[in-house]
Amino acid sequence: MFRTALRNVLAHKARLLMTVLAVTLGVAFVSGTLVFTDTLGKALSGQSAKSYDGVAVSVTSYGKTRNGEGRPEGEPGISQQTLDKVKAVGGVDTVSGRVSGFAGVGDENGKLIGNGWANQGANFAPVSAGKDPRYQFTAGAGPATADQIALDRATADKGAYEVGDKVRVATNGPVKEYTLTGVFTTEDGQVNAGGSLVLFDTATAQKLYLQPGFYNELSVSAKQGVPADRLLADIKPLLDKNSKAQTGAELAAEQAKAIKEGMSGMSTMLLAFAGIALFVGIFLIYNTFTMLVAQRTKELALLRAVGAKRGQVVNSVMAEAVVVGLVSATIGLVTGVGLAVGMRSVMDSLGAKIPAGELVISPATIVTALVIGVFVTMVAAVFPAWRTGRIPPVAAMGSAHLPATMKSLVLRNISGSVLFLLGIALVLAGVSAGGTNGRYTIAAGAFFLLIGLIVVLPLLSRPMIAAVRPLLQKVFGVPGKLAAQNAVRNPRRTAVTAASLAIGLTLVTTLSVLGITMGKAVDRMSTDKIKADYKVSMAMGGGSLDKSVAETLAKAKGIKAVSPQTAGSLKIGEDFRAASGVNPAAIGEILNIDVVGGSLASLGKGEVAVAEKTAKKNGLAVGSTLQVMYDDGEKASLKVGAVYKDLDGLLSPYVLDDRILSAHSETPYIPEVYVNTTGGESKAAEKAVLDALGNNPAISLATQQDMRNEMGGVVNTALNIMYGLLGMALIISVLGVVNTLAMSVFERTQEIGMLRAIGLDRSRVKNMIRLEAVVISLFGAVLGIAVGIFLAWAVGSTLAKSVPGYALVLPWDRIGIFLLLAGVVGVLAAMWPARSAARLNMLTAIKTE
């Protein structure tokens, strides 16, 4: 029986090819994800460990903390005195103090080099012979005075800078020009992520990022033969409570763990889409084995007639599934390794330099790929294999098939309807519950809804396809009528084929409706609420602006109104609450704020404005008094001067005059400054703002359209990624339609011969097969889109309260594209089966049993 199974695999290579492709795609995605994340994780961990070579102990400062009353206490970092004490510990060889923060480098056109969030500045800290062990200089030397810097090799190359050149560098304040004294290589992870690294002398770096005489970190090396643990024990007593000491090995292990956890999120997302592709592939594999069993009805019956037991026949089909699964998994594993290499090349080409390292193909990845490939194939083949055991020996004497019994169809329809209704009930319960718990309930409901839909699809196929039969007959004549009849001739197989498309389009539609709805809500928020012409911020989320930015813009020519958005906090009761600092004189011109009580002019009198929801929750109204404590620990009584409708994402629940909030913070955090110009948005106004800021390469200027794009850009990017990943599931769906049509042609060989004999020419035969494919594809697409809209509405209902201006938007243009693509899928999938049907010899076909 095993030899028979192998012969059958080799005898049906063309049929099994589509199954192999389906499994290969899913396994390739799984193995590619595992290989890529393992390789990237090991490379990053190796890089991290390498950066701590020679570091016996690392001391990190967390800056000032708050005491029980919320008052900041402690030093801003590690003092020079502490460094000297650590250096005096027996067994210590060298100690280097480190300071870091944001620094952006401009190219010859003034544009920022590298990714803003990864652009860093640090200090050059030589420990012996004028060398810093963290950096290897390929040209020149490290900076020694306040007007000198050194650059990493990649940044120097991008800016075409050489030693001796003048380089414009910006931190969070005004841009300055420095002389380039050296170019170096580094294993710094930020640089490898596409950023840049600027080295200043220590005194300059401390002044820029901390305070003179203080460091963020100490790197301690040990004398030969001195264990790191002993040094750690001696150093710990010298530190204050805001500092933490670890051995270099512990720190490297900690960072390796953090890298692994960071990789797990990306890995989980990619594996989820691979799982979707494999789930869709199950329907294709099921159809393939159903087809093979139908083609071999006589053969299997003959085996039963000559003595084969029912279990042996079933096992022979399962053996075929194992062979096909092993072959598919092996090809998928190899393909996945190729995908991992390709993903690495793509990331390199996008500027995210991945550390050098060998490709990691772990035994776990190999086993996972093989197990998944075999398991998925066997699961899909179980039911067709079980049906082979029911073929009676008498079937060997004719072309007997085993039609589904009325009892089995009734049971299927009842169970499917129950699951479908249970899914709808759970989704509606999730909508009523709302919030995170409601979304979990909706997810459970969606699972049961989709499973129920798959089970009940044969019941739905007849009435839905019958509804379009008159239109097909009227437009396409006899081929259209025959296509509609053929599509429901075997409702189970039609349902299985349509299910794969329905699942794919359910996911695509749900994501599209949610994404576009969220994008519109964000767009409305930015359009309706932001009146400013421009928003000034650090490039690509680089951090806080210096307070001099708002001051400089307020004095610039052509500027009408300026308001910083300072982010701070107030301690009210036992908790710290987020607060925004604004310019009272300009905020009404910058943001469209709906005041429900009091006046925003009260901010200029030192009063506070409170968001409506917060006011209701805490029983506050205009005239109420708040007892607060600022960031520096000073206490005050603030009168509520205004209550406004919530502006989530634009203003915190508590709003004060920026001068008051900033006065209680050593380094105010200012993420953005809003600007209105006298003539409104224009090229001249944009130039005036940039000129006022000295054409700072680290500062980004966004128009209202840029703000809308910025807010909605994340949604659109996520949608595009989802479309690309779900495209694989749709490719498998195409293979499923091809399979179904091939099976349909095989079953109707004699019928097609008769149709040809009575006058149906080849072109009409092709049209009949094409229309059948389009009908099946559109049937699955319509159901998928309908379920997707329902689920998007449900999930959106749980988000409506937390997203201002949320209102469900149905993107009819994209829905139309999805339906069009489903029709194209049907036409493309029908090309080979239609050609095969049209080329049948009518006499040979008529004689076929």
Side-chain angles (χ1 to χ4, degrees):
M1 294 301 294
F2 183 68
R3 286 198 299 270
T4 301
L6 288 177
R7 281 199 299 269
N8 285 326
V9 171
L10 296 174
H12 299 93
K13 293 187 289 292
R15 290 280 184 269
L16 290 171
L17 177 61
M18 284 177 284
T19 292
V20 171
L21 284 173
V23 180
T24 295
L25 284 172
V27 172
F29 215 138
V30 171
S31 56
T33 297
L34 294 176
V35 170
F36 177 71
T37 52
D38 286 349
T39 299
L40 183 58
K42 185 175 180 180
L44 291 174
S45 296
Q47 179 191 64
S48 175
K50 189 174 180 180
S51 66
Y52 290 103
D53 281 350
V55 177
V57 176
S58 175
V59 181
T60 306
S61 171
Y62 298 102
K64 291 184 177 181
T65 57
R66 296 178 187 271
N67 60 19
E69 297 180 351
R71 187 181 298 279
E73 60 178 18
E75 296 180 331
I78 303 168
S79 67
Q80 182 66 43
Q81 290 78 7
T82 302
L83 185 151
D84 294 336
K85 291 177 184 178
V86 171
K87 196 171 184 179
V89 171
V92 169
D93 185 21
T94 61
V95 180
S96 55
R98 304 290 175 181
V99 188
S100 62
F102 172 81
V105 180
D107 61 16
E108 60 181 6
N109 298 316
K111 300 296 183 182
L112 184 69
I113 297 175
N115 302 320
W117 60 270
N119 291 342
Q120 296 290 304
N123 64 313
F124 175 68
V127 292
S128 61
K131 293 183 179 180
D132 188 327
R134 286 196 178 184
Y135 312 108
Q136 301 296 318
F137 279 81
T138 59
T145 61
D147 62 345
Q148 296 178 341
I149 60 163
L151 290 177
D152 68 275
R153 177 83 270 168
T155 303
D157 289 343
K158 290 175 185 175
Y161 291 122
E162 296 181 354
V163 173
D165 288 347
K166 296 293 184 180
V167 181
R168 287 165 57 81
V169 179
T171 52
N172 63 344
V175 64
K176 293 183 180 179
E177 197 170 70
Y178 297 85
T179 300
L180 182 64
T181 63
V183 176
F184 57 89
T185 59
T186 177
E187 293 296 326
D188 187 277
Q190 301 280 50
V191 175
N192 285 329
S196 62
L197 181 60
V198 182
L199 294 183
F200 302 92
D201 71 285
T202 297
T204 302
Q206 288 176 329
K207 184 178 178 181
L208 286 172
Y209 301 126
L210 208 55
Q211 282 185 20
F214 288 92
Y215 303 90
N216 298 122
E217 179 189 349
L218 300 182
S219 295
V220 183
S221 64
K223 292 179 180 178
Q224 190 169 1
V226 177
D229 290 339
R230 197 193 90 188
L231 276 187
L232 181 65
D234 292 340
I235 290 172
K236 277 186 175 180
L238 306 176
L239 308 176
D240 63 18
K241 65 179 182 179
N242 297 334
S243 299
K244 180 181 178 181
Q246 295 170 280
T247 64
E250 288 173 343
L251 194 57
E254 188 178 278
Q255 291 204 359
K257 183 181 178 182
I259 289 168
K260 186 176 181 180
E261 290 174 353
M263 291 288 102
S264 68
M266 178 176 68
S267 177
T268 300
M269 184 189 74
L270 293 175
L271 289 175
F273 284 99
I276 292 168
L278 287 166
F279 182 65
V280 172
I282 286 176
F283 298 101
L284 171 57
I285 300 165
Y286 170 85
N287 261 358
T288 299
F289 278 92
T290 300
M291 180 192 305
L292 294 177
V293 168
Q295 288 177 326
R296 291 159 45 205
T297 298
K298 276 190 170 185
E299 175 191 326
L300 295 169
L302 185 60
L303 287 172
R304 292 290 312 282
V306 297
K309 296 179 181 179
R310 180 174 293 180
Q312 287 179 303
V313 174
V314 172
N315 289 339
S316 70
V317 176
M318 294 305 295
E320 291 179 44
V322 171
V323 172
V324 172
L326 280 172
V327 171
S328 305
T330 303
I331 297 173
L333 177 61
V334 174
T335 306
V337 173
L339 282 175
V341 174
M343 289 170 71
R344 182 169 183 163
S345 299
V346 168
M347 290 188 70
D348 281 337
S349 66
L350 292 175
K353 182 183 173 185
I354 296 178
E358 60 183 14
L359 201 65
V360 179
I361 308 173
S362 68
T365 298
I366 297 172
V367 171
T368 300
L370 294 177
V371 168
I372 287 176
V374 173
F375 177 76
V376 168
T377 312
M378 290 183 68
V379 166
V382 163
F383 188 66
W386 176 74
R387 293 187 68 192
T388 62
R390 299 176 61 207
I391 297 175
V394 71
M397 293 181 282
S399 57
H401 292 275
L402 295 170
T405 64
M406 182 60 68
K407 180 180 178 182
S408 68
L409 287 173
V410 170
L411 288 174
R412 175 173 181 150
N413 291 337
I414 291 175
S415 61
S417 299
V418 169
L419 287 171
F420 187 75
L421 293 174
L422 174 62
I424 291 177
L426 285 172
V427 169
L428 294 177
V431 171
S432 298
T436 303
N437 292 333
R439 287 192 283 276
Y440 283 129
T441 305
I442 290 171
F447 173 77
F448 286 109
L449 191 154
L450 285 174
I451 297 299
L453 179 66
I454 292 166
V455 176
V456 85
L457 271 177
L459 179 65
L460 297 175
S461 64
R462 289 186 182 276
M464 289 187 68
I465 295 176
V468 298
R469 186 188 302 169
L471 177 63
L472 289 171
Q473 185 173 352
K474 183 176 181 181
V475 177
F476 299 100
V478 174
K481 178 181 179 180
L482 292 173
Q485 291 175 339
N486 292 333
V488 294
R489 176 173 295 187
N490 190 329
R492 290 191 179 202
R493 190 170 59 245
T494 297
V496 170
T497 305
S500 59
L501 274 169
I503 291 169
L505 281 172
T506 293
L507 295 169
V508 169
T509 304
T510 302
L511 293 171
S512 294
V513 173
L514 278 175
I516 290 171
T517 299
M518 292 292 288
K520 292 289 184 183
V522 167
D523 187 64
R524 278 193 295 271
M525 182 175 72
S526 58
T527 303
D528 298 343
K529 301 301 180 185
I530 300 177
K531 296 194 292 183
D533 295 328
Y534 299 102
K535 181 181 78 172
V536 177
S537 60
M538 296 300 289
M540 298 183 70
S544 172
L545 293 165
D546 189 79
K547 60 182 181 181
S548 63
V549 170
E551 295 168 358
T552 301
L553 288 172
K555 299 173 185 176
K557 219 173 178 183
I559 303 298
K560 181 181 177 184
V562 176
S563 178
Q565 294 286 88
T566 302
S569 62
L570 299 173
K571 187 177 182 182
I572 302 172
E574 296 300 319
D575 300 314
F576 281 90
R577 307 292 185 183
S580 293
V582 301
N583 179 358
I587 190 63
E589 298 180 50
I590 297 298
L591 298 178
N592 187 9
I593 303 175
D594 294 328
V595 179
V596 296
S599 170
L600 291 177
S602 62
L603 295 175
K605 303 173 186 177
E607 297 177 1
V608 62
V610 184
E612 186 177 26
K613 290 179 183 176
T614 302
K616 287 181 179 178
K617 183 179 178 181
N618 295 281
L620 299 174
V622 175
S624 299
T625 301
L626 274 175
Q627 299 300 322
V628 305
M629 182 163 60
Y630 294 107
D631 284 342
D632 61 359
E634 184 176 326
K635 296 178 181 179
S637 294
L638 293 177
K639 181 181 176 183
V640 177
V643 175
Y644 64 92
K645 285 191 176 295
D646 294 64
L647 283 175
D648 296 330
L650 293 176
L651 282 178
S652 299
Y654 298 92
V655 180
L656 294 88
D657 187 331
D658 176 62
R659 291 171 297 182
I660 296 174
L661 194 63
S662 297
H664 295 282
S665 175
E666 290 183 20
T667 53
Y669 184 77
I670 309 172
E672 61 251 343
V673 172
Y674 288 104
V675 180
N676 260 346
T677 55
T678 51
E681 188 180 315
S682 67
K683 290 290 183 183
E686 185 174 332
K687 185 176 184 303
V689 174
L690 291 173
D691 286 346
L693 296 172
N695 289 310
N696 192 325
I699 285 182
S700 169
L701 185 66
T703 63
Q704 281 212 353
Q705 185 60 49
D706 292 332
M707 288 182 249
R708 286 196 289 270
N709 294 342
E710 180 185 317
M711 292 177 176
V714 175
V715 174
N716 292 328
T717 301
L719 271 180
N720 292 332
I721 293 172
M722 299 298 181
Y723 289 154
L725 294 172
L726 289 171
M728 185 172 63
L730 296 179
I731 290 172
I732 296 175
S733 300
V734 173
L735 299 177
V737 178
V738 174
N739 232 10
T740 295
L741 293 175
M743 181 63 179
S744 180
V745 170
F746 164 74
E747 287 183 346
R748 305 198 322 263
T749 299
Q750 190 179 61
E751 177 189 316
I752 291 171
M754 292 292 294
L755 290 171
R756 290 290 315 283
I758 61 175
L760 196 68
D761 58 25
R762 289 185 174 181
S763 63
R764 290 186 177 182
V765 170
K766 287 183 179 180
N767 284 340
M768 177 181 70
I769 303 299
R770 290 193 193 104
L771 288 171
E772 181 181 347
V774 171
V775 167
I776 293 173
S777 298
L778 289 177
F779 169 56
V782 168
L783 287 174
I785 289 170
V787 174
I789 291 173
F790 174 65
L791 293 177
W793 165 80
V795 174
S797 298
T798 66
L799 297 169
K801 291 182 179 179
S802 58
V803 179
Y806 184 93
L808 188 69
V809 177
L810 295 181
W812 295 112
D813 53 343
R814 297 202 187 192
I815 290 173
I817 291 172
F818 296 157
L819 289 171
L820 179 63
L821 287 175
V824 172
V825 162
V827 172
L828 294 176
M831 290 177 65
W832 173 56
R835 185 169 175 268
S836 299
R839 293 179 63 189
L840 286 174
N841 182 289
M842 67 180 72
L843 295 179
T844 303
I846 291 171
K847 292 189 293 181
T848 302
E849 294 183 353

